[in-house]
């Protein structure tokens, strides 16, 4: 009992305690000690089944992200209440202080320190696609015909987890086919913006503006020069008139821009007809390691770029827009779109 004190009035009381084993409880007269005897019949409250939980903090053992239906909006990464509270705190701290100049890229200029990183992310994406094409020659990958389920192995798994077209008739079974690079690395496209700070894309312009992979568009806005997709590069900060109104600064005094070669050579995708599979096991292992390294480098670099260049995503569908504000094209089709 440690430092606690037990007191009994007499030895008879102690003998009474031993004789009352069939009683449900015994409470001493002085109120200092209260003992509960074990009942004869097993109690449900005392004998509850305990589930064995095995926990592992390794990243690869984390649970899959939750599946959201089209009628349910995905939550914000940071709750909206926290965002509003942080905005109020910033407004209170800036009250009465002189306004600071707007840093890039909000002033229309690019962040020069992130330009080499943008080239690296662009090339790592090309390397990842080329290596996946080579690995698919030696590793069997299956994809469901009706949903986005992927299985790496000689035979698709038998789990009834399909949510695709007419899944209830098939009782959730997948219909497996051979996968391609687009199945393994799902393409997420976004509209290409000639002017990142220009007007928002209207609904009637949704077919006249080209669409690019979101990572490629992010790299282009961060400074990568792609001749097929030109973009506007300002050399002077914009002049703000209102919260959403601005005018470009006069650049007539500056010399004419000279086309500069890219900082780093840009890689290109290898055609499917020229793909050569790895010859031996050692080359296969080396190719797999390079693929994983390219994937991690691309993800890590894209996260750094997204801290400076905002990217918007729809709350109901996978639509992504690289820019300060989302577009107005109503191509979602989900429940309560843009509400």
């Amino acid at each position: 009992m440690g430092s606690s004190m037990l007191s009994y009035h007499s030895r008879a009381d102690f003998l009474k305690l031993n004789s009352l084993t069939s009683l449900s409880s015994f409470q001493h007269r002085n109120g200092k000690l209260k003992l509960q005897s074990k009942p004869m019949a097993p109690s449900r409250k005392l004998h509850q089944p305990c589930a064995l939980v095995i926990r592992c903090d390794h990243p690869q053992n984390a649970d899959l992200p939750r599946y959201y239906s089209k009628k349910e909006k995905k939550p914000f990464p940071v709750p909206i209440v926290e965002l509003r509270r942080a905005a109020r705190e910033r407004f209170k701290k800036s009250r009465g202080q002189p306004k600071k100049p707007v840093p890039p890229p909000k002033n229309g200029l690019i962040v020069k320190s992130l330009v080499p990183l943008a080239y690296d992310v662009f090339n790592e994406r090309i390397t990842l696609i080329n290596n996946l094409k080579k690995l698919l020659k030696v590793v069997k990958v299956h994809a469901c015909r009706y949903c986005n389920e992927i299985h790496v192995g000689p035979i698709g798994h038998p789990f009834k987890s399909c949510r695709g077209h007419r899944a209830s008739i098939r009782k959730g079974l997948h219909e497996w086919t051979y996968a391609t690079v687009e199945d393994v690395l799902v393409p997420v496209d976004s509209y290409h913006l000639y002017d990142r700070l220009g007007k928002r894309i209207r609904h009637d312009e949704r077919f006249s503006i080209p669409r690019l992979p979101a990572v490629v568009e992010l790299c282009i806005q961060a400074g990568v020069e792609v001749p097929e997709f030109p973009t506007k590069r300002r050399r002077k900060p914009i002049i703000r008139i209102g919260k959403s109104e601005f005018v470009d600064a006069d650049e007539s005094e500056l010399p004419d821009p000279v086309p500069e070669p890219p900082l780093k050579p840009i890689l290109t995708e290898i055609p499917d007809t020229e793909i050569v599979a790895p010859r031996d096991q050692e080359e296969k292992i080396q190719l797999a390691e390079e693929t994983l390294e390219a994937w991690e480098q691309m993800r890590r670099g894209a996260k750094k770029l997204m801290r400076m260049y905002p990217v918007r995503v729809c709350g109901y569908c996978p639509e992504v827009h690289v820019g300060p504000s989302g577009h107005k094209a109503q191509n979602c089709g989900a429940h309560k779109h843009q509400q």
Side-chain angles (χ1 to χ4, degrees), residues 228-249:
E228 295 81 5
F229 303 99
T231 182
K232 186 176 182 179
R233 305 293 186 190
R234 294 180 174 86
R235 294 183 291 171
K236 280 188 176 181
I238 60 175
I239 302 174
R240 288 283 180 181
I241 300 177
K243 184 177 181 180
S244 58
E245 298 181 0
F246 67 91
V247 293
D248 292 333

PDB file of all heavy atoms in Angstrom, residues 228-249:
ATOM      1  N   GLU A 228       7.539  25.522 -76.495  1.00  0.00           N
ATOM      2  CA  GLU A 228       6.179  25.204 -76.946  1.00  0.00           C
ATOM      3  C   GLU A 228       5.109  25.910 -76.120  1.00  0.00           C
ATOM      4  O   GLU A 228       3.986  26.111 -76.592  1.00  0.00           O
ATOM      5  CB  GLU A 228       5.945  23.692 -76.894  1.00  0.00           C
ATOM      6  CG  GLU A 228       6.812  22.887 -77.865  1.00  0.00           C
ATOM      7  CD  GLU A 228       8.199  22.657 -77.320  1.00  0.00           C
ATOM      8  OE1 GLU A 228       8.436  23.047 -76.143  1.00  0.00           O
ATOM      9  OE2 GLU A 228       9.035  22.103 -78.047  1.00  0.00           O
ATOM     10  N   PHE A 229       5.445  26.320 -74.914  1.00  0.00           N
ATOM     11  CA  PHE A 229       4.469  26.953 -74.032  1.00  0.00           C
ATOM     12  C   PHE A 229       5.072  28.235 -73.467  1.00  0.00           C
ATOM     13  O   PHE A 229       5.631  28.237 -72.368  1.00  0.00           O
ATOM     14  CB  PHE A 229       4.059  26.013 -72.899  1.00  0.00           C
ATOM     15  CG  PHE A 229       3.495  24.707 -73.377  1.00  0.00           C
ATOM     16  CD1 PHE A 229       4.281  23.567 -73.419  1.00  0.00           C
ATOM     17  CD2 PHE A 229       2.180  24.625 -73.814  1.00  0.00           C
ATOM     18  CE1 PHE A 229       3.774  22.369 -73.864  1.00  0.00           C
ATOM     19  CE2 PHE A 229       1.658  23.423 -74.263  1.00  0.00           C
ATOM     20  CZ  PHE A 229       2.450  22.291 -74.281  1.00  0.00           C
ATOM     21  N   PRO A 230       5.001  29.329 -74.221  1.00  0.00           N
ATOM     22  CA  PRO A 230       5.588  30.586 -73.734  1.00  0.00           C
ATOM     23  C   PRO A 230       4.785  31.163 -72.576  1.00  0.00           C
ATOM     24  O   PRO A 230       3.596  30.893 -72.407  1.00  0.00           O
ATOM     25  CB  PRO A 230       5.525  31.493 -74.971  1.00  0.00           C
ATOM     26  CG  PRO A 230       4.383  30.952 -75.771  1.00  0.00           C
ATOM     27  CD  PRO A 230       4.371  29.470 -75.540  1.00  0.00           C
ATOM     28  N   THR A 231       5.433  31.964 -71.785  1.00  0.00           N
ATOM     29  CA  THR A 231       4.799  32.624 -70.658  1.00  0.00           C
ATOM     30  C   THR A 231       5.371  34.027 -70.512  1.00  0.00           C
ATOM     31  O   THR A 231       6.486  34.310 -70.982  1.00  0.00           O
ATOM     32  CB  THR A 231       5.013  31.827 -69.360  1.00  0.00           C
ATOM     33  OG1 THR A 231       4.339  32.466 -68.287  1.00  0.00           O
ATOM     34  CG2 THR A 231       6.489  31.727 -69.034  1.00  0.00           C
ATOM     35  N   LYS A 232       4.629  34.878 -69.880  1.00  0.00           N
ATOM     36  CA  LYS A 232       5.027  36.282 -69.737  1.00  0.00           C
ATOM     37  C   LYS A 232       5.989  36.424 -68.575  1.00  0.00           C
ATOM     38  O   LYS A 232       5.695  35.996 -67.451  1.00  0.00           O
ATOM     39  CB  LYS A 232       3.793  37.161 -69.518  1.00  0.00           C
ATOM     40  CG  LYS A 232       4.090  38.655 -69.490  1.00  0.00           C
ATOM     41  CD  LYS A 232       2.808  39.459 -69.370  1.00  0.00           C
ATOM     42  CE  LYS A 232       3.094  40.956 -69.391  1.00  0.00           C
ATOM     43  NZ  LYS A 232       1.843  41.752 -69.301  1.00  0.00           N
ATOM     44  N   ARG A 233       7.148  37.032 -68.853  1.00  0.00           N
ATOM     45  CA  ARG A 233       8.148  37.292 -67.827  1.00  0.00           C
ATOM     46  C   ARG A 233       8.288  38.796 -67.638  1.00  0.00           C
ATOM     47  O   ARG A 233       8.669  39.515 -68.560  1.00  0.00           O
ATOM     48  CB  ARG A 233       9.504  36.708 -68.216  1.00  0.00           C
ATOM     49  CG  ARG A 233       9.493  35.228 -68.552  1.00  0.00           C
ATOM     50  CD  ARG A 233       9.181  34.366 -67.360  1.00  0.00           C
ATOM     51  NE  ARG A 233       9.313  32.945 -67.682  1.00  0.00           N
ATOM     52  CZ  ARG A 233       8.913  31.963 -66.894  1.00  0.00           C
ATOM     53  NH1 ARG A 233       8.360  32.254 -65.722  1.00  0.00           N
ATOM     54  NH2 ARG A 233       9.070  30.708 -67.260  1.00  0.00           N
ATOM     55  N   ARG A 234       7.964  39.270 -66.468  1.00  0.00           N
ATOM     56  CA  ARG A 234       8.100  40.701 -66.167  1.00  0.00           C
ATOM     57  C   ARG A 234       9.497  40.982 -65.614  1.00  0.00           C
ATOM     58  O   ARG A 234      10.074  40.159 -64.904  1.00  0.00           O
ATOM     59  CB  ARG A 234       7.042  41.126 -65.154  1.00  0.00           C
ATOM     60  CG  ARG A 234       5.615  41.050 -65.680  1.00  0.00           C
ATOM     61  CD  ARG A 234       4.632  41.500 -64.609  1.00  0.00           C
ATOM     62  NE  ARG A 234       3.265  41.568 -65.108  1.00  0.00           N
ATOM     63  CZ  ARG A 234       2.433  40.528 -65.142  1.00  0.00           C
ATOM     64  NH1 ARG A 234       2.841  39.341 -64.694  1.00  0.00           N
ATOM     65  NH2 ARG A 234       1.212  40.668 -65.611  1.00  0.00           N
ATOM     66  N   ARG A 235       9.988  42.176 -65.950  1.00  0.00           N
ATOM     67  CA  ARG A 235      11.290  42.592 -65.462  1.00  0.00           C
ATOM     68  C   ARG A 235      11.202  43.697 -64.424  1.00  0.00           C
ATOM     69  O   ARG A 235      12.205  44.095 -63.846  1.00  0.00           O
ATOM     70  CB  ARG A 235      12.162  43.045 -66.636  1.00  0.00           C
ATOM     71  CG  ARG A 235      12.508  41.909 -67.585  1.00  0.00           C
ATOM     72  CD  ARG A 235      13.421  42.386 -68.687  1.00  0.00           C
ATOM     73  NE  ARG A 235      12.743  43.295 -69.611  1.00  0.00           N
ATOM     74  CZ  ARG A 235      13.351  43.986 -70.571  1.00  0.00           C
ATOM     75  NH1 ARG A 235      14.666  43.870 -70.722  1.00  0.00           N
ATOM     76  NH2 ARG A 235      12.666  44.781 -71.381  1.00  0.00           N
ATOM     77  N   LYS A 236       9.999  44.211 -64.221  1.00  0.00           N
ATOM     78  CA  LYS A 236       9.748  45.207 -63.179  1.00  0.00           C
ATOM     79  C   LYS A 236       8.530  44.781 -62.366  1.00  0.00           C
ATOM     80  O   LYS A 236       7.612  44.167 -62.909  1.00  0.00           O
ATOM     81  CB  LYS A 236       9.492  46.594 -63.793  1.00  0.00           C
ATOM     82  CG  LYS A 236      10.747  47.336 -64.206  1.00  0.00           C
ATOM     83  CD  LYS A 236      10.400  48.758 -64.613  1.00  0.00           C
ATOM     84  CE  LYS A 236      11.650  49.555 -64.944  1.00  0.00           C
ATOM     85  NZ  LYS A 236      11.303  50.956 -65.309  1.00  0.00           N
ATOM     86  N   PRO A 237       8.506  45.094 -61.083  1.00  0.00           N
ATOM     87  CA  PRO A 237       7.326  44.733 -60.277  1.00  0.00           C
ATOM     88  C   PRO A 237       6.083  45.462 -60.759  1.00  0.00           C
ATOM     89  O   PRO A 237       6.143  46.565 -61.314  1.00  0.00           O
ATOM     90  CB  PRO A 237       7.719  45.163 -58.855  1.00  0.00           C
ATOM     91  CG  PRO A 237       9.212  45.286 -58.878  1.00  0.00           C
ATOM     92  CD  PRO A 237       9.572  45.696 -60.278  1.00  0.00           C
ATOM     93  N   ILE A 238       4.933  44.849 -60.539  1.00  0.00           N
ATOM     94  CA  ILE A 238       3.664  45.453 -60.929  1.00  0.00           C
ATOM     95  C   ILE A 238       3.317  46.585 -59.969  1.00  0.00           C
ATOM     96  O   ILE A 238       3.877  46.690 -58.865  1.00  0.00           O
ATOM     97  CB  ILE A 238       2.549  44.396 -60.943  1.00  0.00           C
ATOM     98  CG1 ILE A 238       2.396  43.784 -59.542  1.00  0.00           C
ATOM     99  CG2 ILE A 238       2.830  43.329 -61.977  1.00  0.00           C
ATOM    100  CD1 ILE A 238       1.245  42.807 -59.421  1.00  0.00           C
ATOM    101  N   ILE A 239       2.399  47.429 -60.399  1.00  0.00           N
ATOM    102  CA  ILE A 239       1.930  48.551 -59.578  1.00  0.00           C
ATOM    103  C   ILE A 239       0.504  48.239 -59.140  1.00  0.00           C
ATOM    104  O   ILE A 239      -0.408  48.149 -59.971  1.00  0.00           O
ATOM    105  CB  ILE A 239       1.981  49.875 -60.366  1.00  0.00           C
ATOM    106  CG1 ILE A 239       3.413  50.146 -60.840  1.00  0.00           C
ATOM    107  CG2 ILE A 239       1.469  51.028 -59.511  1.00  0.00           C
ATOM    108  CD1 ILE A 239       3.524  51.359 -61.748  1.00  0.00           C
ATOM    109  N   ARG A 240       0.315  48.072 -57.850  1.00  0.00           N
ATOM    110  CA  ARG A 240      -0.990  47.731 -57.314  1.00  0.00           C
ATOM    111  C   ARG A 240      -1.887  48.958 -57.247  1.00  0.00           C
ATOM    112  O   ARG A 240      -1.494  50.014 -56.745  1.00  0.00           O
ATOM    113  CB  ARG A 240      -0.844  47.136 -55.910  1.00  0.00           C
ATOM    114  CG  ARG A 240      -0.259  45.732 -55.889  1.00  0.00           C
ATOM    115  CD  ARG A 240      -1.299  44.714 -56.293  1.00  0.00           C
ATOM    116  NE  ARG A 240      -0.746  43.347 -56.273  1.00  0.00           N
ATOM    117  CZ  ARG A 240      -1.448  42.269 -56.607  1.00  0.00           C
ATOM    118  NH1 ARG A 240      -2.709  42.409 -56.987  1.00  0.00           N
ATOM    119  NH2 ARG A 240      -0.898  41.084 -56.576  1.00  0.00           N
ATOM    120  N   ILE A 241      -3.124  48.805 -57.767  1.00  0.00           N
ATOM    121  CA  ILE A 241      -4.130  49.854 -57.682  1.00  0.00           C
ATOM    122  C   ILE A 241      -5.145  49.519 -56.605  1.00  0.00           C
ATOM    123  O   ILE A 241      -5.554  50.376 -55.828  1.00  0.00           O
ATOM    124  CB  ILE A 241      -4.821  50.054 -59.045  1.00  0.00           C
ATOM    125  CG1 ILE A 241      -3.795  50.463 -60.098  1.00  0.00           C
ATOM    126  CG2 ILE A 241      -5.931  51.087 -58.948  1.00  0.00           C
ATOM    127  CD1 ILE A 241      -4.372  50.611 -61.484  1.00  0.00           C
ATOM    128  N   GLY A 242      -5.565  48.289 -56.565  1.00  0.00           N
ATOM    129  CA  GLY A 242      -6.500  47.818 -55.556  1.00  0.00           C
ATOM    130  C   GLY A 242      -6.105  46.422 -55.112  1.00  0.00           C
ATOM    131  O   GLY A 242      -4.989  45.940 -55.360  1.00  0.00           O
ATOM    132  N   LYS A 243      -7.040  45.781 -54.425  1.00  0.00           N
ATOM    133  CA  LYS A 243      -6.745  44.455 -53.913  1.00  0.00           C
ATOM    134  C   LYS A 243      -6.549  43.453 -55.041  1.00  0.00           C
ATOM    135  O   LYS A 243      -5.677  42.581 -54.959  1.00  0.00           O
ATOM    136  CB  LYS A 243      -7.877  44.008 -52.991  1.00  0.00           C
ATOM    137  CG  LYS A 243      -7.627  42.683 -52.315  1.00  0.00           C
ATOM    138  CD  LYS A 243      -8.745  42.321 -51.355  1.00  0.00           C
ATOM    139  CE  LYS A 243      -8.473  40.986 -50.669  1.00  0.00           C
ATOM    140  NZ  LYS A 243      -9.550  40.615 -49.727  1.00  0.00           N
ATOM    141  N   SER A 244      -7.338  43.582 -56.097  1.00  0.00           N
ATOM    142  CA  SER A 244      -7.226  42.663 -57.229  1.00  0.00           C
ATOM    143  C   SER A 244      -6.970  43.391 -58.541  1.00  0.00           C
ATOM    144  O   SER A 244      -7.150  42.804 -59.605  1.00  0.00           O
ATOM    145  CB  SER A 244      -8.513  41.828 -57.350  1.00  0.00           C
ATOM    146  OG  SER A 244      -9.646  42.671 -57.518  1.00  0.00           O
ATOM    147  N   GLU A 245      -6.562  44.632 -58.497  1.00  0.00           N
ATOM    148  CA  GLU A 245      -6.295  45.418 -59.697  1.00  0.00           C
ATOM    149  C   GLU A 245      -4.852  45.895 -59.673  1.00  0.00           C
ATOM    150  O   GLU A 245      -4.334  46.300 -58.632  1.00  0.00           O
ATOM    151  CB  GLU A 245      -7.245  46.618 -59.796  1.00  0.00           C
ATOM    152  CG  GLU A 245      -8.708  46.235 -59.912  1.00  0.00           C
ATOM    153  CD  GLU A 245      -9.599  47.463 -60.034  1.00  0.00           C
ATOM    154  OE1 GLU A 245      -9.039  48.592 -60.028  1.00  0.00           O
ATOM    155  OE2 GLU A 245     -10.816  47.304 -60.118  1.00  0.00           O
ATOM    156  N   PHE A 246      -4.209  45.852 -60.826  1.00  0.00           N
ATOM    157  CA  PHE A 246      -2.824  46.281 -60.941  1.00  0.00           C
ATOM    158  C   PHE A 246      -2.562  46.660 -62.387  1.00  0.00           C
ATOM    159  O   PHE A 246      -3.333  46.327 -63.301  1.00  0.00           O
ATOM    160  CB  PHE A 246      -1.861  45.175 -60.490  1.00  0.00           C
ATOM    161  CG  PHE A 246      -1.852  43.978 -61.392  1.00  0.00           C
ATOM    162  CD1 PHE A 246      -0.965  43.883 -62.454  1.00  0.00           C
ATOM    163  CD2 PHE A 246      -2.757  42.946 -61.201  1.00  0.00           C
ATOM    164  CE1 PHE A 246      -0.958  42.793 -63.292  1.00  0.00           C
ATOM    165  CE2 PHE A 246      -2.762  41.848 -62.030  1.00  0.00           C
ATOM    166  CZ  PHE A 246      -1.862  41.764 -63.074  1.00  0.00           C
ATOM    167  N   VAL A 247      -1.451  47.359 -62.601  1.00  0.00           N
ATOM    168  CA  VAL A 247      -0.980  47.705 -63.940  1.00  0.00           C
ATOM    169  C   VAL A 247       0.492  47.333 -64.016  1.00  0.00           C
ATOM    170  O   VAL A 247       1.209  47.324 -63.006  1.00  0.00           O
ATOM    171  CB  VAL A 247      -1.176  49.198 -64.260  1.00  0.00           C
ATOM    172  CG1 VAL A 247      -2.660  49.539 -64.347  1.00  0.00           C
ATOM    173  CG2 VAL A 247      -0.484  50.066 -63.222  1.00  0.00           C
ATOM    174  N   ASP A 248       0.938  47.005 -65.225  1.00  0.00           N
ATOM    175  CA  ASP A 248       2.345  46.665 -65.422  1.00  0.00           C
ATOM    176  C   ASP A 248       3.194  47.923 -65.429  1.00  0.00           C
ATOM    177  O   ASP A 248       2.771  48.992 -65.913  1.00  0.00           O
ATOM    178  CB  ASP A 248       2.531  45.906 -66.732  1.00  0.00           C
ATOM    179  CG  ASP A 248       1.891  44.530 -66.690  1.00  0.00           C
ATOM    180  OD1 ASP A 248       1.778  43.971 -65.576  1.00  0.00           O
ATOM    181  OD2 ASP A 248       1.500  44.019 -67.757  1.00  0.00           O
ATOM    182  N   ALA A 249       4.383  47.829 -64.906  1.00  0.00           N
ATOM    183  CA  ALA A 249       5.315  48.951 -64.906  1.00  0.00           C
ATOM    184  C   ALA A 249       5.854  49.183 -66.317  1.00  0.00           C
ATOM    185  O   ALA A 249       5.864  48.285 -67.167  1.00  0.00           O
ATOM    186  CB  ALA A 249       6.459  48.678 -63.928  1.00  0.00           C
TER     187      ALA A 249
END
